[in-house]
Amino acid sequence: LIEMSTKDQIQSLKEGKIDVGFGRLRISDPAVRRVLLREEPLMVAMHSSHPLAMKKEGVFLADIVEENLFVYPSLPKPNFATQIMSLFAEYGLDPKNLREVREIQLALGLTAAGEGICIVPRSAKTIQLPHLHFIPLLDDAAVSPIFLALRSMDESEDIRSLFDCIYQVYDLEAIEYDRAVI
């Protein structure tokens, strides 16, 4: 298991250094095939005393555009922060109180301290900090894709087994997905 950016994964796949990569970015390369595993809903993390925390049904991007917003990671680009900024732009919104931080743990730590809010994938709800509260982001496009990247011509039995394992976990966890054909 090697941690690397999506961009680095593409290069490592082409060089044969890794067999698959997981990421959230839509980077195209003819030598690499991306398989959409699922679209993960986005949530807004905030301090439990934040006025929006009472909106259990969720909020829209327009509701949070004026908030102090932490995005992550700060480098390398493109990244999840780029994806979040593109989501705001898609709705014609431009958050003014934006602060990039190194990683999700720092963003959520500052959020739990009441310094601002943060947009995260729903799976980040497993990160538990005192006073950290999560509510859904209600905009239709408020999802983050999860891709598996592999070499375009790779259709090995190991790759098929990996897909089977992923879908078994999704079934056990009741995670919605469309099964990819490989």
Side-chain angles (χ1 to χ4, degrees):
L1 187 62
I2 304 168
E3 181 184 3
M4 63 180 68
S5 71
T6 300
K7 193 173 175 183
D8 291 340
Q9 287 177 27
I10 302 302
Q11 190 60 38
S12 292
L13 280 164
K14 293 185 336 187
E15 293 171 358
K17 293 179 180 176
I18 63 172
D19 295 313
V20 298
F22 294 91
R24 294 184 179 274
L25 300 179
R26 299 177 193 276
I27 294 178
S28 296
D29 187 297
V32 175
R33 180 168 55 128
R34 270 191 347 257
V35 176
L36 177 65
L37 295 176
R38 66 187 172 110
E39 295 272 4
E40 185 174 9
L42 295 174
M43 308 282 292
V44 180
M46 62 191 65
H47 191 277
S48 57
S49 68
H50 193 287
L52 293 175
M54 291 190 254
K55 293 187 170 242
K56 298 193 184 328
E57 71 283 352
V59 295
F60 291 93
L61 288 167
D63 299 327
I64 63 171
V65 72
E66 300 296 328
E67 298 284 335
N68 291 329
L69 179 66
F70 294 105
V71 294
Y72 65 89
S74 48
L75 293 171
K77 298 215 186 309
N79 56 27
F80 186 71
T82 310
Q83 190 179 74
I84 296 303
M85 295 313 302
S86 295
L87 182 60
F88 275 102
E90 188 174 327
Y91 287 92
L93 301 169
D94 184 20
K96 301 284 188 249
N97 305 313
L98 191 68
R99 185 158 163 215
E100 284 186 318
V101 296
R102 254 186 353 266
E103 58 193 20
I104 187 173
Q105 291 84 356
L106 181 55
L108 290 177
L110 290 164
T111 298
E115 295 297 318
I117 65 170
C118 182
I119 298 174
V120 295
R122 183 169 56 195
S123 57
K125 285 177 63 172
T126 61
I127 300 171
Q128 297 294 306
L129 296 171
H131 307 293
L132 190 59
H133 184 75
F134 297 89
I135 61 172
L137 195 50
L138 299 174
D139 300 271
D140 289 338
V143 294
S144 180
I146 300 175
F147 293 106
L148 184 141
L150 62 156
R151 285 178 288 281
S152 288
M153 304 311 269
D154 195 346
E155 295 183 12
S156 71
E157 190 56 41
D158 289 339
I159 297 295
R160 284 188 186 86
S161 294
L162 177 61
F163 276 102
D164 287 342
C165 288
I166 291 166
Y167 296 133
Q168 284 177 19
V169 169
Y170 283 5
D171 289 340
L172 286 171
E173 299 290 327
I175 296 171
E176 292 183 30
Y177 64 93
D178 289 326
R179 191 171 181 106
V181 179
I182 49 170

